[in-house]
Amino acid sequence: MARDLISDLLAALGRDGSGSSDFDLNPETVLPEGRKLRPAGVLVPVSVVADTPQLILTKRSSALKHHPGQIAFPGGKQDEGDADVTATALREAREEIGLPPEMPRILGHLPIHETVTSFSVTPVVAVLDSSFEPIAEPGEVDEVFSVPLAHVLNPENYVVESRRWRGQRRYYYAVPYGPYYIWGATARMLRGLAARMGE
């Protein structure tokens, strides 16, 4: 089963396609000309140790300035010392959840995702063939948890919701799972992966 899943992921990552953004469901948004986006990398870690492949996610600390309490991939902005966004994703995953950088088997990248906070995010999809004990970084991560990969790969589990943001109604994807409300950029990137897997 894991071998088939990895083959399907590789095929999905190899398909051409445009990137995504937090503005996909808000076509009336006018983005400023010459805006400067900061590169970032996030790890999309899929554990195939158990019978049911699991996606590992984090719940950000409620004390953080940006996106407090939200569900996110391990990752962050690219530092000058990072060779590329893959190195960024691996470094951040080590810092945030204690994932040894040599453990993930990198399969490839999803198209870049632009966020409302002016980041150009590259999702780095990886498989974990071995188990590890997650260690949440104090001050940044409140919880490390897993969601069945099949749940986020099923387009029927996604809903479009909205809230007011900077005086305007903003629409976004959400893919709730149990007590976890996965929404915004994380849900949008996962929705893109689900679409690719369904092609």
Side-chain angles (χ1 to χ4, degrees), residues 161-180:
E161 298 187 346
S162 70
R163 63 177 59 179
R164 292 199 70 78
W165 185 74
R166 294 185 180 174
Q168 294 183 323
R169 177 67 57 182
R170 178 181 161 224
Y171 294 87
Y172 55 86
Y173 284 107
V175 57
Y177 177 75
Y180 302 107

Side-chain angles (χ1 to χ4, degrees), residues 9 40 62 73 80 97 110 121 133 151 161-162 165 173 195:
L9 283 170
S62 56
F73 300 113
E80 287 185 10
I97 66 173
L110 286 169
V121 181
E133 190 65 37
H151 179 77
E161 298 187 346
S162 70
W165 185 74
Y173 284 107

Side-chain angles (χ1 to χ4, degrees), residues 73-107:
F73 300 113
K77 65 181 174 62
Q78 185 174 352
D79 288 348
E80 287 185 10
D82 295 333
D84 51 30
V85 288
T86 298
T88 299
L90 291 173
R91 174 181 55 75
E92 289 279 351
R94 183 189 71 236
E95 293 172 1
E96 293 183 7
I97 66 173
L99 179 65
E102 69 279 0
M103 181 178 288
R105 180 156 44 111
I106 306 299
L107 299 185

Side-chain angles (χ1 to χ4, degrees), residues 16-194:
D16 291 333
S18 58
S20 59
S21 86
D22 286 350
F23 310 103
D24 286 349
L25 299 177
N26 303 275
E28 72 287 351
T29 302
V30 178
L31 298 175
E33 288 292 330
R35 66 191 183 282
K36 187 169 177 61
L37 300 177
R38 295 165 289 176
V42 296
L43 195 67
V44 183
V46 177
S47 173
V48 295
V49 176
D51 291 338
T52 304
Q54 298 285 316
L55 173 68
I56 300 171
L57 293 168
T58 70
K59 183 177 181 184
R60 291 169 59 84
S61 168
S62 56
L64 289 172
K65 179 180 178 182
H66 297 293
H67 311 293
Q70 290 186 15
I71 305 303
F73 300 113
K77 65 181 174 62
Q78 185 174 352
D79 288 348
E80 287 185 10
D82 295 333
D84 51 30
V85 288
T86 298
T88 299
L90 291 173
R91 174 181 55 75
E92 289 279 351
R94 183 189 71 236
E95 293 172 1
E96 293 183 7
I97 66 173
L99 179 65
E102 69 279 0
M103 181 178 288
R105 180 156 44 111
I106 306 299
L107 299 185
H109 299 158
L110 286 169
I112 288 172
H113 179 86
E114 179 179 343
T115 71
V116 295
T117 47
S118 299
F119 281 102
S120 174
V121 181
T122 300
V124 180
V125 180
V127 167
L128 306 182
D129 298 299
S130 304
S131 58
F132 79 105
E133 190 65 37
I135 302 170
E137 181 180 20
E140 276 205 45
V141 176
D142 278 347
E143 184 181 355
V144 182
F145 66 96
S146 298
V147 175
L149 184 65
H151 179 77
V152 296
L153 291 184
N154 184 351
E156 294 183 5
N157 290 330
Y158 288 79
V159 293
V160 174
E161 298 187 346
S162 70
R163 63 177 59 179
R164 292 199 70 78
W165 185 74
R166 294 185 180 174
Q168 294 183 323
R169 177 67 57 182
R170 178 181 161 224
Y171 294 87
Y172 55 86
Y173 284 107
V175 57
Y177 177 75
Y180 302 107
Y181 184 67
I182 307 165
W183 69 286
T186 302
R188 178 64 188 93
M189 287 182 265
L190 287 172
R191 182 65 180 79
L193 177 59

